[in-house]
Amino acid sequence: MQEPPESPSLYCTPERHLRAATPSPLARVYTPSISSRHTMIMTPTPTQTPEYLRESFPKTSDRLLLRNHRRTDPAIWCCAIVCLVFSILVILFGITTLIIFLVVKPKNPVFDTNHASLNVIYFDSPGNINGDFTFIANFTNPNRKLDVKYEYAAVELYFDNSMIANQSIKPFSQRQRETGVVKIHFVSSLVSLPLNHAMELQRQVTSNKVMYSVVGRFRVRVSFGLLHFSYWLHSRCELQMSSPPSGVLMARSCMTKR
């Protein structure tokens, strides 16, 4: 009778091919890494409290405390106060100017004409001319709340960008919505013109169509109660005249700007 096979022993040694596949119980034991061991070995540094700094660096901590409690220089306070006051004044001035501009709505005075006469044009030589021209200037103050004063006024007569006469006007004032008329008499005596301009003027006189330009330059002072401000105005009128001796205004185009 055959005997049954023996059951394997709990303490038997596994075979060679199974020995490598079976992990050793020691491998399951946690082995801390190098960085972990260093972390475990390091001791926590003490917190850098003011007491710790005072004990370690007594002189340095005293200096730090003195610097933190240093008082501000009075000159800096004075400069700050002056800058603050100046800023407030600038803001108030800007707000006041804006309010005045919105309430008053200032407009530029107007320079225009509706009458002019060309009395004389004759040539002493091909480049020298003599002339007599009368210009009636209309000055209008379109503002309803502002008075205007012309502190300086000069008017010039041009032909093809060549000045042939000029005239100044005495200072005068205009109240609100007022219109004034000033008669300006231009006299040209032996005025030298470039030859091509002189020939063009002769051609226009022959064709009964003379083109003149009147240019005005004015310094205007505007008043609103106790407030005053001045600025420059530049005006230009392009005129089409008939030929002398009875030359009249046929067409015009005037513009005024700052």
Side-chain angles (χ1 to χ4, degrees):
M1 179 181 235
Q2 188 177 0
E3 294 181 1
E6 296 180 359
S7 58
S9 175
L10 295 175
Y11 300 99
C12 65
T13 302
E15 295 181 3
R16 182 176 299 177
H17 67 279
L18 297 175
R19 189 179 301 170
T22 305
S24 173
L26 297 176
R28 300 180 183 178
V29 179
Y30 173 73
T31 303
S33 61
I34 298 175
S35 59
S36 301
R37 280 182 284 177
H38 279 278
T39 304
M40 295 172 62
I41 294 172
M42 290 176 61
T43 57
T45 57
T47 306
Q48 296 182 357
T49 59
E51 291 77 7
Y52 172 77
L53 291 175
R54 190 177 297 108
E55 293 176 1
S56 302
F57 309 100
K59 295 183 179 180
T60 306
S61 62
D62 292 342
R63 293 175 183 175
L64 290 174
L65 292 174
L66 288 175
R67 289 181 182 177
N68 291 336
H69 293 82
R70 184 178 178 181
R71 301 180 64 180
T72 305
D73 192 350
I76 298 177
W77 283 108
C78 292
C79 293
I81 293 172
V82 170
C83 292
L84 179 61
V85 172
F86 180 76
S87 302
I88 294 174
L89 291 177
V90 170
I91 294 172
L92 292 177
F93 178 78
I95 294 174
T96 304
T97 304
L98 179 61
I99 292 173
I100 292 174
F101 182 83
L102 294 176
V103 172
V104 176
K105 297 179 181 179
K107 299 179 181 179
N108 291 331
V110 179
F111 176 80
D112 198 359
T113 185
N114 53 13
H115 180 76
S117 60
L118 181 55
N119 305 315
V120 174
I121 290 181
Y122 68 92
F123 295 85
D124 280 346
S125 62
N128 295 329
I129 69 165
N130 299 276
D132 189 301
F133 178 72
T134 302
F135 180 81
I136 306 300
N138 297 330
F139 292 91
T140 304
N141 178 16
N143 296 286
R144 296 182 178 181
K145 299 180 180 180
L146 297 176
D147 296 331
V148 173
K149 180 179 180 181
Y150 289 83
E151 298 178 330
Y152 172 84
V155 185
E156 299 170 343
L157 178 64
Y158 285 84
F159 174 77
D160 201 3
N161 294 326
S162 295
M163 189 177 68
I164 57 179
N166 61 350
Q167 191 66 261
S168 61
I169 303 174
K170 294 181 180 180
F172 63 96
S173 299
Q174 283 187 318
R175 298 188 64 81
Q176 307 159 13
R177 309 286 292 180
E178 183 180 356
T179 299
V181 178
V182 178
K183 182 178 180 180
I184 305 173
H185 190 200
F186 294 103
V187 176
S188 304
S189 179
L190 295 177
V191 176
S192 179
L193 286 178
L195 186 58
N196 58 339
H197 290 181
M199 294 177 63
E200 176 63 21
L201 180 57
Q202 289 180 355
R203 187 191 68 78
Q204 292 185 9
V205 171
T206 303
S207 64
N208 196 31
K209 186 179 178 180
V210 180
M211 305 298 296
Y212 273 171
S213 299
V214 175
V215 177
R217 188 167 180 263
F218 315 105
R219 182 169 179 81
V220 178
R221 183 182 182 185
V222 179
S223 302
F224 179 71
L226 298 177
L227 299 177
H228 307 277
F229 59 94
S230 301
Y231 57 90
W232 287 95
L233 280 180
H234 302 273
S235 301
R236 187 180 185 92
C237 286
E238 301 292 342
L239 310 175
Q240 180 181 336
M241 307 293 300
S242 59
S243 297
S246 58
V248 295
L249 181 63
M250 301 172 61
R252 76 184 191 280
S253 175
C254 296
M255 181 182 61
T256 301
K257 63 180 182 180
R258 290 191 183 185

